[in-house]
Amino acid sequence: MLSFDIGIDLGTVNTLVLVKGKGILIREPTVVAIHKKTRQVLAIGSEAKRMIGRTPAAIEAVRPLRDGVISDFDTTEAMLRYFIYKVHNTPGKGFFSLPKIPRPRVVVGIPSGVTEVERRAVQDACLSAGAREAYLIEEPMAAAIGAKLPVEAPEGVMVVDIGGGTTEIAVISLGGMVVNKSLRVAGDELDEEIINYMRVRYGMLIGERTAEDVKIDVGSAYPTGKDDMATVVRGRDLATGLPKSIKISAAEIREALSSTVTQIISGVQEILEETPPELLTDIVERGIFLAGGGSLLRGLDKRLAEETKLPIYVATDPLTTVVRGCGEVLNNLDLLSKVKVTGGLR
């Protein structure tokens, strides 16, 4: 069976898979639906995400990664196996039992702050899912490579990758991270802030998917001149238990998100304080580059620019920056060693 080299952005919220020479073939939610008693996998990706909050008692839709690391090894392995089969155009229904599986070489983006045990868990999951080799690359490095930044030059490059489970902040020079920080505060916490705000302010219970939709529709980190934007939020009244609808403005949602946004900005400021003076001079000239889905929050670049007094740039197609970086590493074996990727071979 022909086997492709694969780059994977194994995210808390979404998983992207890039195949060498073919581009990004998979963009699926990191969700798996399983049977509670038999632990049989029933659905993966978009199909499983549609089940969140709607499953009967015997089925649960789970997110096998939390804060960028594996929380359910077996489910993660099943999901990776499914994606590997999918990009190889293997029929989907019987893939768990097929004896002959593809053996690709895989490069996976992981948070920079993970422990050695968490690194090994990702590597083992890839190998168990069918990879013949599994290499790990820190997400800030992958994002910088994917954004076409000069990571190998003796100059400072600063990247802030805001994903679903973690915010990765790093200053990169000569193919390595000089200073870095991994905050377990990102898109998921923004959703949680909206859920808490609706519960405390309006006595209304909403789900994760609703909170995410509200964040996308009217969420912002800085006054954008569109504070008259509003959306209708539907949920359950905690007092009566009955359905309830409320019209929420963009200004209210910005207030709800302010705490998490402030934590991210504080993390960026801390890294700037730790950066060596020569590299800091480069960053003042080049600015800070934002990647990841969280960078799409309206006004975040303006808020960050105001707080740091530095130019802020959002990468082109920030959702795919990390997986594109993994793809660049696959295309350049010299780069594979220069960026200090941790490798594993079965």
Side-chain angles (χ1 to χ4, degrees):
M1 179 183 289
L2 180 63
S3 187
F4 304 117
D5 288 343
I6 296 173
I8 300 176
D9 177 7
L10 188 61
T12 305
V13 176
N14 294 296
T15 295
L16 287 81
V17 180
L18 177 146
V19 175
K20 183 179 178 181
K22 294 192 173 186
I24 299 169
L25 298 187
I26 292 176
R27 298 188 192 201
E28 296 267 12
T30 310
V31 183
V32 180
I34 57 176
H35 193 282
K36 286 184 178 179
K37 289 186 178 179
T38 65
R39 308 306 292 177
Q40 178 187 357
V41 175
L42 304 175
I44 292 173
S46 300
E47 186 182 352
K49 185 176 181 179
R50 288 195 293 270
M51 298 182 183
I52 292 178
R54 296 183 170 93
T55 57
I59 300 172
E60 64 176 338
V62 299
R63 292 169 58 181
L65 282 88
R66 285 288 170 187
D67 297 329
V69 297
I70 294 174
S71 59
D72 186 329
F73 183 88
D74 292 336
T75 306
T76 303
E77 179 192 328
M79 181 183 69
L80 288 170
R81 187 181 297 272
Y82 168 76
F83 291 145
I84 289 172
Y85 271 102
K86 193 170 182 180
V87 298
H88 285 83
N89 296 316
T90 306
K93 289 188 178 178
F95 66 84
F96 290 111
S97 59
L98 286 173
K100 195 172 183 180
I101 61 173
R103 305 286 290 176
R105 183 175 57 176
V106 176
V107 173
V108 186
I110 59 169
S112 60
V114 298
T115 64
E116 195 58 41
V117 173
E118 290 165 342
R119 279 176 167 270
R120 178 58 64 180
V122 175
Q123 202 168 51
D124 289 348
C126 291
L127 295 171
S128 299
R132 74 176 185 274
E133 296 177 41
Y135 297 95
L136 308 182
I137 179 171
E138 286 88 354
E139 287 175 354
M141 181 65 76
I145 294 170
K148 305 290 187 183
L149 300 179
V151 296
E152 298 176 70
E155 299 173 0
V157 173
M158 186 165 182
V159 177
V160 181
D161 176 31
I162 307 170
T166 62
T167 295
E168 305 293 322
I169 310 165
V171 174
I172 297 167
S173 179
L174 292 170
M177 292 189 295
V178 181
V179 288
N180 67 284
K181 191 180 191 71
S182 182
L183 302 175
R184 300 208 169 178
V185 175
D188 280 351
E189 279 65 33
L190 293 172
D191 297 342
E192 193 63 37
E193 293 279 15
I194 293 173
I195 292 171
N196 291 338
Y197 181 85
M198 296 304 296
R199 185 176 65 246
V200 173
R201 181 76 178 267
Y202 293 104
M204 181 176 171
L205 182 65
I206 63 173
E208 290 180 14
R209 288 192 62 183
T210 301
E212 184 181 11
D213 291 341
V214 170
K215 177 182 70 178
I216 293 169
D217 288 345
V218 297
S220 65
Y222 191 84
T224 59
K226 295 183 179 179
D227 284 358
D228 56 342
M229 288 175 58
T231 188
V232 175
V233 183
R234 296 177 177 86
R236 188 172 74 221
D237 191 314
L238 290 171
T240 65
L242 298 175
K244 184 178 182 179
S245 297
I246 294 176
K247 192 173 184 180
I248 299 294
S249 70
E252 286 182 278
I253 298 303
R254 184 168 63 252
E255 178 189 338
L257 301 178
S258 63
S259 174
T260 299
V261 171
T262 299
Q263 288 183 61
I264 293 172
I265 292 171
S266 296
V268 173
Q269 291 171 331
E270 287 174 19
I271 288 296
L272 287 170
E273 290 171 7
E274 296 173 18
T275 303
E278 292 295 336
L279 295 181
L280 193 59
T281 302
D282 296 332
I283 294 168
V284 170
E285 292 178 3
R286 291 177 178 272
I288 299 172
F289 294 85
L290 303 185
S295 65
L296 296 174
L297 182 67
R298 292 178 189 84
L300 180 60
D301 52 344
K302 293 180 181 177
R303 172 81 185 276
L304 202 51
E306 185 178 89
E307 298 281 353
T308 62
K309 312 302 181 189
L310 295 172
I312 308 295
Y313 304 99
V314 179
T316 303
D317 195 6
L319 287 165
T320 66
T321 311
V322 170
V323 77
R324 283 188 280 121
C326 293
E328 287 292 327
V329 171
L330 285 170
N331 288 327
N332 188 339
L333 292 180
D334 290 336
L335 192 60
L336 194 67
S337 59
K338 285 181 181 177
V339 299
K340 303 178 179 64
V341 179
T342 303
L345 176 62
R346 175 173 282 183

